[in-house]
Amino acid sequence: MNKNGKILITPRSLTKSGHPALDTLKKAGYELVFSTPGKQPDEKELIELLSDCVGYLAGVEKISAEVLKGAGKLKVISRNGTGIDNIDLKTAKELNIKICRAEEANTRGVAELTIGLIFSLVRYIPFSDRKMKEEKWERKEGIELQNRTLGIIGCGKIGRQVAMMALSLGMKVVAYDVIRDSSFLPAGDFSWADLNTLLKQSDIISLHCPPLKNGESLINKDIIEKMKNGVYLINAARADLIDEKAVLKALFENKIAGFALDVFKKEPPVDNPLVLHERVIATPHIGGYTNESISRATQIAVNNLLKYLS
C-alpha cells in the first residue's frame, strides 16, 4: 500500500474535508499523512510529519529552512495555490527539492472576493447587517461605483480579472505593475500608470502583487500620504504588503475611509486592533476558498506531485 512513500497534506480545506482528487495519490501507491484537521501546522508539527515523506501538498504555512533540512526524503513541494513566498526557496534549491504551484487555480475566487469586498466597503453592508441583527435602524450613506477609479497594484492574472469585472460595472481602472503587459488593454476606461499617478487618482485601491523582495511593506506611511483623502483599500494578496500601524493610523485620521483584508501575518489573528476597527472588514483567508477553486487547486497540486515523484 505504501510502496512509493508518504505524502503530507496540510491545506486546511483538505485536512478538514478531504477531496476526491487525493484518491489518485492513494491509487498510485502513496500513503497520505494529514496535519491537524482544519488548523495551520506550525514548524514543530511540520518537522515531525515530514521526516519520512517524499511529497508535500502544502498550504500557506511557513516552510522554514529547519523544516526542509529535517525532511531527508522530501523530493517535491506542491502548493495548492500560486504563492510560494512562505517557502524558504534558497534552502529548497540547495536540497534539490522541487517547488510546484497550482497556476491560476484561485484566480477567479480571489477576484470575485475582491469585488465583493469593494461593495461591502462602499455600501457598509457588514455594518448594516450587524445593526439590523441588533434591532437598530442605522444607515450610512454609501457611494456608487460607476465612474469611480479603481487602482490595481499588481495587474497579473488576478488583477486582470478584477479589472475586467470593475470595468463591467462602469468603473475607471488604473493599473500598475513592475512588469507591464502592454498587450492587456481591455475595452472601457482602462489605463496603465506609474505608482504615484495611481495613488493620486484612485478612489479605491486593491493589491494583487507579491511581497517586496526587500521584506518592507508596500503600503506604508509615505505611500498612504500620496493617496486621496477618503480612499478605500483592499488587500487579498499578502499580509506583508501592509504596514498595519500606518493603515490603522490612517483609518483613525480618516485618510483611509475603509480597509478590507483577507490575509494576515498570523492566522488566525489574535487581538489585532486593525481587525477590530469598525471601518475594517476582515475575512478569514477565503479568497481561494470556493468549491471550484479548491477543486482546481487540489487537482493541479496532485498532478504536479505525480509528475515530479514519478
Side-chain angles (χ1 to χ4, degrees), residues 162-209:
V162 173
M164 297 292 287
M165 293 176 188
L167 290 167
S168 72
L169 295 170
M171 298 186 75
K172 302 174 184 178
V173 176
V174 179
Y176 165 77
D177 201 300
V178 175
I179 303 174
R180 181 184 299 188
D181 181 1
S182 56
S183 67
F184 181 69
L185 289 171
D189 198 338
F190 175 88
S191 62
W192 291 95
D194 59 67
L195 183 57
N196 286 336
T197 299
L198 181 150
L199 296 171
K200 183 179 179 181
Q201 293 182 355
S202 300
D203 301 298
I204 303 164
I205 296 174
S206 190
L207 308 179
H208 299 287
C209 55

